[in-house]
Amino acid sequence: MELNENARIDTSQVDDRRGSGGGGGIGIPIPIGGGRGGIVGIIIAVLVALVGGGFGLNAMNGGGSEQGDNTALEQRCSAQDALKQLDCRNTLYVNSIQAYWRTAMPEVFGEQYQPSKTVFFSQNVNTGCGQADSGVGPFYCPADDLVYIDLTFYRLLADQLGAPGEFAQPYVLAHEYGHHVQDLLGTEAQMRRQQQRDPANANELSVKLELQADCYAGAWAKNATGTSDEGGQKIFKGITEQDIQQAIDTAEKIGDDAIQKRAGRPVNPDEFTHGTSAQRRQWFTQGYSTGDPKSCDTFGSTR
Ligand SMILES: [Zn+2]
C-alpha cells in the first residue's frame, strides 16, 4: 500500500485526546459482561474473552465528552515526513473512509452521510457510552457518534494477535466506520430492539451486525484508491493484493473462535458475538469483491 505524500491530511476529522486529561482520568471502567448496547467495537471480544467475561459492554449513562487538543497533531501532520507518523497515517485513513461514504451513502442508500470524528485516546476515555479503557479495543459509540481508538492497540494486534500488517489499521477503522453507517441507517437501533424482543438470539444478532461492518470495510477497501482529499488529491497511490490479504488475515485473527482458542478456552459458539474467523473473512471478501455495500445483507442472508 502506498499513500500519496501530496494528499492533505485533514486532522479536523480526529479529536486528539491523548495529551489531555482523557488519559489520566479516574473513574469506573465500563463493566464488562451482562448488558448489551452502547459500544460496538471490533475486538471487544478479545479482552472480554481473556478476562472470561460476557459479550458486551454496558453503556453507562452520561459520561461527559471532552475536547482534545489537535495542535501538536496538526503540526506533525503538515510536516514533510508526516506519513512516517502512525497518527498522521491513521488520520489519512479516516479521511479516505469518510470520503468514500460521503459519496457511497447517497448513491447506495439514498441518504446523506454525516461525518464522525475519530478520538485518539490514551489508556482511558470518557465517552457518551460511559468511561472506557484501552482494554476494550477500538469501538464506536452510537450515543455520541464517535469512533474511539488507542493507537497502541495496533501493537497488541501485531504482537499478541498475530496481525502485524499495516493494512490491518485501515481495516480496523473502516470496520468502526461501518458501525457509524449502521447507526446512520438505523440498522444498529433496529438490531438492539430485536435483541430486546429476542434475548435468546442476542449474540447471533450481534454477529450479523459485526459481519456487516466487516463487509462495509471490504467495500471501502475496494473503492479506497478512488478516494481523494478535499483538494482532489488521491489519498492512496495504490493498494495491492497483499494489503487486502493483510486485512483478511486480521479479520481471521480476531474471529471469535480464534480468540477463544488463543485465550486457552474451549471454542463455544454460544458466546460468539463478532463471528468466526471464516465468517469474518467471508464477509470482508464479500464487500471487497462486489465493492457494493448493498451486498452486505448479513441479516437477510443468514436468517
Ligand atoms: Zn464491531
Side-chain angles (χ1 to χ4, degrees):
M1 170 195 66
E2 210 185 330
L3 287 162
N4 179 4
E5 66 275 8
N6 296 318
R8 199 181 81 80
I9 302 172
D10 181 3
T11 55
S12 75
Q13 295 185 20
V14 308
D15 182 13
D16 188 4
R17 295 194 206 161
R18 289 168 300 177
S20 66
I26 33 162
I28 309 144
I30 297 171
I32 287 170
R36 305 174 186 110
I39 287 170
V40 270
I42 193 170
I43 196 154
I44 273 166
V46 176
L47 264 282
V48 174
L50 293 177
V51 300
F55 45 79
L57 291 173
N58 222 349
M60 292 180 75
N61 47 358
S65 282
E66 53 213 68
Q67 272 290 317
D69 181 359
N70 279 11
T71 318
L73 182 72
E74 222 175 286
Q75 213 161 30
R76 238 185 347 271
C77 298
S78 50
Q80 270 295 321
D81 59 349
L83 292 178
K84 290 195 177 128
Q85 312 290 339
L86 177 77
D87 47 9
C88 298
R89 286 200 309 277
N90 271 261
T91 304
L92 203 48
Y93 299 148
V94 167
N95 297 164
S96 168
I97 294 160
Q98 298 212 95
Y100 167 64
W101 284 111
R102 207 171 313 143
T103 311
M105 230 176 104
E107 250 175 41
V108 178
F109 297 111
E111 288 190 41
Q112 275 314 106
Y113 178 72
Q114 309 291 337
S116 156
K117 285 188 188 186
T118 288
V119 177
F120 292 160
F121 72 97
S122 171
Q123 293 176 7
N124 54 58
V125 65
N126 287 318
T127 82
C129 299
Q131 180 156 22
D133 66 53
S134 306
V136 301
F139 62 90
Y140 173 73
C141 169
D144 58 21
D145 302 318
L146 295 171
V147 171
Y148 290 87
I149 186 166
D150 180 333
L151 294 171
T152 61
F153 168 74
Y154 296 133
R155 219 174 298 146
L156 176 109
L157 200 55
D159 298 347
Q160 289 179 42
L161 297 169
E166 169 82 12
F167 210 76
Q169 299 178 17
Y171 158 66
V172 164
L173 292 168
H175 173 100
E176 298 311 336
Y177 275 94
H179 286 311
H180 176 56
V181 169
Q182 290 172 325
D183 187 16
L184 293 175
L185 292 173
T187 320
E188 201 265 346
Q190 210 178 336
M191 174 274 198
R192 299 286 166 209
R193 282 194 297 274
Q194 237 174 312
Q195 280 185 323
Q196 274 160 5
R197 278 198 305 271
D198 185 8
N201 282 315
N203 280 9
E204 208 180 302
L205 289 161
S206 161
V207 166
K208 290 176 181 181
L209 194 77
E210 293 300 331
L211 294 175
Q212 188 174 62
D214 279 340
C215 184
Y216 285 170
W220 163 78
K222 179 72 169 191
N223 294 288
T225 49
T227 59
S228 307
D229 70 7
E230 274 178 17
Q233 288 277 355
K234 292 266 182 247
I235 291 176
F236 287 94
K237 278 186 172 166
I239 293 173
T240 64
E241 275 309 308
Q242 197 190 346
D243 297 320
I244 299 307
Q245 195 52 51
Q246 286 176 358
I248 292 171
D249 286 348
T250 309
E252 288 187 332
K253 290 288 192 313
I254 56 179
D256 287 322
D257 49 343
I259 285 167
Q260 287 178 350
K261 274 185 215 157
R262 194 171 278 274
R265 300 171 58 202
V267 172
N268 181 358
D270 289 341
E271 290 176 3
F272 290 174
T273 53
H274 285 63
T276 62
S277 298
Q279 285 174 315
R280 298 197 77 157
R281 180 188 57 225
Q282 183 205 326
W283 281 103
F284 176 87
T285 307
Q286 167 79 8
Y288 180 72
S289 59
T290 62
D292 179 7
K294 265 260 152 68
S295 76
C296 298
D297 187 15
T298 55
F299 289 90
S301 74
T302 45
R303 195 168 289 167

